[in-house]
Amino acid sequence: MDYVRSDRGSSGPRLPLALKILIAGGFGAGKTTLVSALSEVRPLQTEEVLTSVGIGTDDISGVEAKTTTTVAMDFGRITINEDLQVYLFGTPGQDRFWFLWDELAFGALGAVVLADTRRLADCFPSIDYFEQRGIPFVVGVNCFDGSRRFGIEAVRQALDLDPEVPMVLCDARDRQSAKLVLISLVEHVARQRGEPVPVA
Ligand SMILES: Nc1nc2c(ncn2[C@@H]2O[C@H](COP(=O)(O)OP(=O)(O)OP(=O)(O)O)[C@@H](O)[C@H]2O)c(=O)[nH]1
Ligand SMILES: [Mg+2]
């Protein structure tokens, strides 16, 4: 597995290994919400207010209640045990921040692509990005209240996903639900690498 940092060989204080996972997806799909639900520390957020200046650039149809947007990244942390931490990086959702993606994706173990069925096409660029770079990913279908529920197979077809890419229904606000999405990613990465699938 790729680790952000390891100093197991050094004689200094033992630092935990850190896995980096990206939380991606379209504008307003719930990335910041998911990082906040999972992080054990107060998440670093880079939210800015959506104003009328963005009309014509920011398409908020379907997410009219949204008042802020991520302009750089979200960051959160989960400690698995004293030797292992997971760093979560939420991507910005809007096209004008694409220039940040390569930096954010560097060294990532894999990614969660959050999909909002009200605006499914918004997650296509994220899926293309990870497919083109061979970065393993899973799709989390964020079940917003009031959004029409589609069968998981219908969403899979619409996304034209490879059959082995896991898809999980989730509620980005719920820690337990969000954890299951991360677990499916770790299992998927292990399967792809032919490593033993960790027991959840
Ligand atoms: N009902 C419901 N609301 C949600 C859910 N996930 C997120 N929200 C709300 O949807 C809004 C958008 O969520 P964000 O987490 O900011 O979305 P984002 O993907 O980070 O958005 P950008 O960074 O602007 O692309 C917020 O008001 C959340 O409270 C969900 O699962 N259910
Ligand atoms: Mg955000």
Side-chain angles (χ1 to χ4, degrees):
M1 299 232 168
D2 301 322
Y3 299 107
V4 172
R5 173 169 175 73
S6 165
D7 74 344
R8 280 174 185 276
S10 78
S11 54
R14 218 168 75 169
L15 292 177
L17 300 174
L19 298 178
K20 178 181 186 182
I21 290 179
L22 291 187
I23 310 297
F27 173 54
K31 302 174 293 293
T32 300
T33 305
L34 187 116
V35 172
S36 310
L38 283 169
S39 183
E40 68 198 9
V41 292
R42 195 166 144 227
L44 170 76
Q45 297 182 346
T46 58
E47 295 296 287
E48 288 296 339
V49 176
L50 285 161
T51 66
S52 56
V53 177
I55 293 172
T57 306
D58 302 331
D59 174 12
I60 60 165
S61 53
V63 287
E64 288 82 0
K66 196 161 166 43
T67 54
T68 65
T69 189
T70 304
V71 295
M73 63 172 192
D74 308 300
F75 175 78
R77 192 188 71 198
I78 306 170
T79 300
I80 306 294
N81 57 41
E82 62 176 16
D83 288 327
L84 182 61
Q85 293 188 336
V86 175
Y87 291 165
L88 300 170
F89 287 82
T91 61
Q94 302 190 61
D95 298 350
R96 62 177 182 271
F97 300 117
W98 269 114
F99 67 95
L100 291 166
W101 276 60
D102 288 345
E103 289 291 333
L104 288 173
F106 185 76
L109 175 80
V112 171
V113 174
L114 277 180
D116 174 355
T117 54
R118 298 169 304 177
R119 303 163 48 109
L120 202 54
D122 286 12
C123 74
F124 293 173
S126 299
I127 290 176
D128 290 344
Y129 181 90
F130 297 122
E131 281 181 348
Q132 283 163 14
R133 286 159 184 82
I135 298 173
F137 67 96
V138 300
V139 174
V141 181
N142 192 11
C143 301
F144 284 84
D145 308 327
S147 68
R148 193 173 143 202
R149 299 288 157 90
F150 295 89
I152 203 138
E153 277 316 310
V155 179
R156 177 180 286 283
Q157 268 184 13
L159 295 178
D160 193 22
L161 280 187
D162 283 345
E164 70 270 15
V165 174
M167 266 189 69
V168 190
L169 295 175
C170 68
D171 181 336
R173 299 163 300 178
D174 180 78
R175 182 174 164 81
Q176 207 49 38
S177 172
K179 259 168 75 174
L180 293 178
V181 182
L182 284 195
I183 290 169
S184 79
L185 174 65
V186 172
E187 290 174 345
H188 177 52
V189 172
R191 272 194 302 271
Q192 278 209 329
R193 296 180 176 202
E195 293 176 7
V197 176
V199 180

